[in-house]
Amino acid sequence: MCGRKTITRDMLSIIEELAIDEWQDPDSYFPSYNVAPTQVTPILVYNGKRIVTPMRWGLIPNWAKDEKMASRMINARAETVTEKPSFKNLMHRNRCVVIADGYYEWKKTETERQPYYIHHPNGKLLPMAGLWDQWHNQEGKLVLSYTVITNTPQSELAHIHNRMPVILTHDNIETWIDWKQNTVQAVLPLLIPRESTLTAYPVSSFVNSPKNNSADCIISLD
């Protein structure tokens, strides 16, 4: 699964790399070395242009009675995303890109769970395939939320965990988010696991607490 991630880049560099046309509520953005579920992060959607809008991590389906489901909806499995009630309808027009530049995974050993930090060796963004939805709470407040799609890991990461986020290439971002031009069947091949160059190294258990949010989270133990 993907349960923690980073977005440490400044806004202008993200806008440039992803060719973003509009960034909504820019004052709400701040870089983070330890993004946890329920926290709000910038999400890329498409409506004739590339728009970034803040959303909460942990999907709350529009038909949910309350937000309790969110804690179980931080990830969606690529293998069943067109079948599960919470996700299948979102695949048609609620596809998004989760903006991140790294993520954490915990490797289980006989004595502990060792956190690893996984990122692009050149510091590039890791645009993750996601789905989003909108929900109104009892007070009528609109809540936008999202989930990260996962699949089986690349071969060099399989020793750490049996899942990883689906990471899009910059060339196929438009195909994934432009739901008007690309059907569900057209984008399903983008969710198939593929090899790419990522760097992974062990980090301190300092990252285990979401309260810890500094560059110390990504310092290598090697």
Side-chain angles (χ1 to χ4, degrees):
M1 64 178 293
C2 173
R4 297 281 181 81
K5 47 192 171 66
T6 64
I7 178 167
T8 65
R9 297 269 296 275
D10 65 272
M11 186 185 303
L12 289 179
S13 70
I14 296 172
I15 290 172
E16 181 178 359
E17 185 171 335
L18 296 182
I20 293 166
D21 299 300
E22 179 183 345
W23 191 303
Q24 298 177 344
D25 193 12
D27 291 339
S28 69
Y29 173 69
F30 58 90
S32 176
Y33 289 90
N34 198 356
V35 180
T38 75
Q39 294 180 0
V40 174
T41 64
I43 301 298
L44 176 60
V45 296
Y46 190 83
N47 187 13
K49 58 183 179 180
R50 295 189 179 195
I51 302 172
V52 166
T53 188
M55 296 189 191
R56 171 177 163 166
W57 189 8
L59 189 79
I60 309 174
N62 61 70
W63 43 261
K65 294 182 179 180
D66 53 47
E67 56 187 74
K68 293 180 180 178
M69 297 182 68
S71 63
R72 305 192 303 273
M73 297 281 194
I74 64 171
N75 292 161
R77 295 175 68 91
E79 299 92 330
T80 57
V81 76
T82 59
E83 304 168 6
K84 298 292 185 180
S86 298
F87 307 130
K88 63 180 182 180
N89 292 331
L90 302 180
M91 282 290 292
H92 294 279
R93 57 185 300 167
N94 283 47
R95 304 191 296 261
C96 66
V97 171
V98 179
I99 302 173
D101 56 11
Y103 71 98
Y104 300 97
E105 200 54 82
W106 279 258
K107 180 178 181 178
K108 293 182 179 180
T109 69
E110 294 182 359
T111 58
E112 63 178 355
R113 295 174 71 244
Q114 172 63 53
Y116 278 74
Y117 183 54
I118 302 165
H119 63 105
H120 192 281
N122 297 324
K124 293 183 179 181
L125 293 172
L126 302 183
M128 301 176 180
L131 299 171
W132 70 278
D133 207 347
Q134 54 184 3
W135 173 78
H136 290 86
N137 64 17
Q138 293 182 342
E139 290 74 38
K141 180 181 178 181
L142 176 65
V143 178
L144 302 179
S145 61
Y146 70 92
T147 187
V148 177
I149 300 177
T150 67
N151 211 322
T152 52
Q154 300 171 186
S155 57
E156 71 269 23
L157 301 177
H159 72 99
I160 300 174
H161 199 272
N162 62 0
R163 305 294 294 180
M164 71 172 289
V166 172
I167 299 173
L168 302 168
T169 67
H170 285 62
D171 292 335
N172 60 34
I173 285 177
E174 192 88 357
T175 302
W176 174 252
I177 58 177
D178 189 351
W179 54 272
K180 293 182 179 180
Q181 298 295 324
N182 300 285
T183 65
V184 174
Q185 291 303 315
V187 300
L188 285 179
L190 303 182
L191 303 182
I192 296 173
R194 58 178 55 81
E195 297 296 315
S196 62
T197 302
L198 294 177
T199 295
Y201 56 73
V203 294
S204 166
S205 58
F206 180 75
V207 74
N208 289 358
S209 172
K211 295 180 181 179
N212 297 328
N213 191 345
S214 71
D216 290 341
C217 292
I218 63 172
I219 294 177
S220 174
L221 295 182
D222 286 342

